[in-house]
Amino acid sequence: MKKYKFILSGGGTGGHIYPAIAIANELKLRFTDAEILFVGAQDKMEMQKVPQAGYKIEGLRIAGLQRKITFQNLLFPFKLLSSLWKSRKIIKNFQPDAVIGTGGFASGPLLQVANSCNIPTVIQEQNSYPGITNKLLSKKANAICVAYENLERFFPKEKIVYTGNPVRQDLLDINSKRNEGVTYFKLDADKKTLLVLGGSLGARRVNQLIEKELDFLLANDIQVIWQCGKLYFEEFQIYNKRVNVQVVAFIDRMDLIYAVADFVISRAGASSVSELCLVGKPTIFIPSPNVAEDHQTKNAKAIVDKNGAILLKEIDLEEKFETTFSNLISNENLQKELSLNIKKLAKPNATKDIVEEIIKLIQ
């Protein structure tokens, strides 16, 4: 039996890394003796997260273009050429059967080289509005696995497969884990729990909102688990002194925290949105306006337009947050409606379906 080799590339944020790791894990389940190599951007979080997951990774000297004129932008052409050269060397030495890109700076040069070498490539696009890298790569990719409908205006229609985003498989059965979660996080089982998610690095505006509204939240007899991100932990950890407040940089047991959460306030990164569809909790999305193409707002709107969540823009937080949150926690019918509708959008078999598409290309 042939021993398959796969290269996966994606990074910069957890939203690109964790889907790539999920796909790698599923490939390992299908082909136990497969060789898997990751390619990421040097100095980005994938260089730590991927080895922690048990995989080898090579780094490219690549970074994205800044929105304003900077010295880094002047270096971009040189970094791109260097990354293309190293990608060619990696592919020549490793000789993969397929290359899978989940987004992020490093996937561009790698998939470009793979395409030029006629190696099958698969793009996994997490967002409802694709970035420029995946739009360019899509012209030569063999398959494009997407998480949202109606992406034909960005990608060749015949290549699109609607699979959903890979999600942690331990989220498939959270209902049985509530008691374990209450114990693990030392919560009051009789209080409602609010989970605040700012993404792996954190979200300054969301953190500022929770700081300002903490008294209001606690006055509603709610306990708060506030994931503020590693960039902001030093600043906000002082609120751990408050009763019924836990401030953490990172949550290592997402299955247990989702099991105990009654309400969620979250950014609208693609991975977070996909997880929240799966767990079906009443959610207020506060999209980051600072990401490329404002794709977080588009991700959130895809859910909100089907009455599966509430959307609050950053510019409206001062005026609308307290009213919106009060309405949510006091209206059980609204909670049930949002939970039911967001769950209809879940794609629990996404990882398996993506791997099926890869298998079609190599067998």
Side-chain angles (χ1 to χ4, degrees):
M1 187 176 165
K2 178 177 165 59
K3 184 176 178 179
Y4 288 104
K5 294 182 174 186
F6 303 99
I7 297 182
L8 291 104
S9 182
T13 67
H16 294 312
I17 298 164
Y18 296 124
I21 291 170
I23 293 166
N25 291 343
E26 184 65 25
L27 284 166
K28 268 290 193 189
L29 279 177
R30 304 291 184 97
F31 308 105
T32 50
D33 61 346
E35 276 190 64
I36 293 176
L37 176 68
F38 278 72
V39 174
Q42 278 179 4
D43 305 324
K44 293 292 183 180
M45 64 190 288
E46 56 265 31
M47 302 309 287
Q48 283 82 45
K49 297 294 182 189
V50 169
Q52 284 168 10
Y55 295 103
K56 291 180 193 167
I57 185 164
E58 297 253 8
L60 303 180
R61 283 185 65 239
I62 188 73
L65 283 165
Q66 306 296 310
R67 292 186 184 183
K68 50 184 187 275
I69 297 169
T70 66
F71 179 65
Q72 291 300 318
N73 278 355
L74 297 176
L75 293 176
F76 179 78
F78 303 102
K79 287 184 175 181
L80 180 60
L81 286 170
S82 158
S83 296
L84 286 165
W85 178 82
K86 189 168 181 185
S87 294
R88 191 167 293 279
K89 193 175 166 189
I90 290 168
I91 283 174
K92 186 181 175 187
N93 290 340
F94 192 73
Q95 298 200 318
D97 294 285
V99 175
I100 302 103
T102 60
F105 309 135
S107 64
L110 189 82
L111 267 74
Q112 181 70 32
V113 170
N115 286 332
S116 70
C117 296
N118 294 316
I119 294 166
T121 60
V122 175
I123 292 170
Q124 197 268 315
E125 173 55 63
Q126 293 116 28
N127 290 296
S128 59
Y129 195 95
I132 190 163
T133 303
N134 277 355
K135 284 186 214 168
L136 292 169
L137 292 170
S138 69
K139 294 174 175 61
K140 291 189 176 175
N142 296 79
I144 304 156
C145 297
V146 301
Y148 292 89
E149 295 170 324
N150 307 315
L151 293 190
E152 294 83 3
R153 64 193 193 280
F154 305 114
F155 299 138
K157 187 177 179 179
E158 68 281 3
K159 295 180 182 180
I160 294 175
V161 189
Y162 178 41
T163 57
N165 278 327
V167 288
R168 303 163 217 253
Q169 293 304 290
D170 59 2
L171 302 184
L172 294 175
D173 177 32
I174 60 162
N175 292 335
S176 65
K177 298 180 181 179
R178 183 172 168 79
N179 290 340
E180 188 186 349
V182 167
T183 305
Y184 186 86
F185 289 102
K186 300 180 176 65
L187 295 168
D188 182 340
D190 297 323
K191 281 187 185 293
K192 296 282 189 183
T193 302
L194 168 66
L195 170 62
V196 181
L197 297 172
S200 51
L201 298 176
R204 173 164 289 283
R205 188 64 190 89
V206 173
N207 288 334
Q208 289 171 337
L209 170 76
I210 300 305
E211 180 180 47
K212 175 177 173 284
E213 301 289 356
L214 207 49
D215 289 337
F216 162 74
L217 295 170
L218 296 174
N220 279 285
D221 199 28
I222 277 173
Q223 54 198 341
V224 180
I225 296 189
W226 174 5
Q227 184 258 317
C228 66
K230 66 176 185 179
L231 294 181
Y232 301 103
F233 184 66
E234 286 291 313
E235 184 179 349
F236 293 103
Q237 64 174 331
I238 56 165
Y239 294 102
N240 274 320
K241 294 174 184 171
R242 301 287 300 269
V243 177
N244 295 320
V245 178
Q246 292 183 48
V247 183
V248 295
F250 181 78
I251 297 169
D252 59 349
R253 288 297 304 269
M254 289 305 296
D255 57 331
L256 297 185
I257 198 63
Y258 281 133
V260 298
D262 296 288
F263 314 103
V264 180
I265 292 173
S266 178
R267 281 302 203 201
S271 291
S272 297
V273 172
S274 296
E275 288 185 358
L276 288 162
C277 287
L278 200 62
V279 299
K281 301 290 178 166
T283 299
I284 296 174
F285 285 121
I286 304 174
S288 170
N290 307 314
V291 292
E293 316 285 0
D294 196 20
H295 68 245
Q296 284 204 7
T297 299
K298 297 177 176 81
N299 291 348
K301 269 189 66 57
I303 309 298
V304 173
D305 288 349
K306 294 186 176 172
N307 203 21
I310 295 164
L311 171 62
L312 265 182
K313 293 190 174 181
E314 282 193 358
I315 54 169
D316 296 327
L317 289 176
E318 296 291 329
E319 190 183 334
K320 297 182 178 176
F321 175 75
E322 290 190 8
T323 311
T324 303
F325 190 77
S326 297
N327 184 44
L328 174 63
I329 62 172
S330 63
N331 188 336
E332 285 192 17
N333 287 336
L334 175 60
Q335 293 166 27
K336 286 174 186 168
E337 191 180 353
L338 294 177
S339 292
L340 197 66
N341 289 335
I342 198 170
K343 270 206 141 178
K344 287 177 188 170
L345 304 173
K347 302 285 278 182
N349 298 318
T351 315
K352 290 187 174 84
D353 292 344
I354 292 163
V355 168
E356 285 298 329
E357 293 305 313
I358 297 166
I359 290 170
K360 283 179 194 172
L361 297 175
I362 61 173
Q363 289 187 337

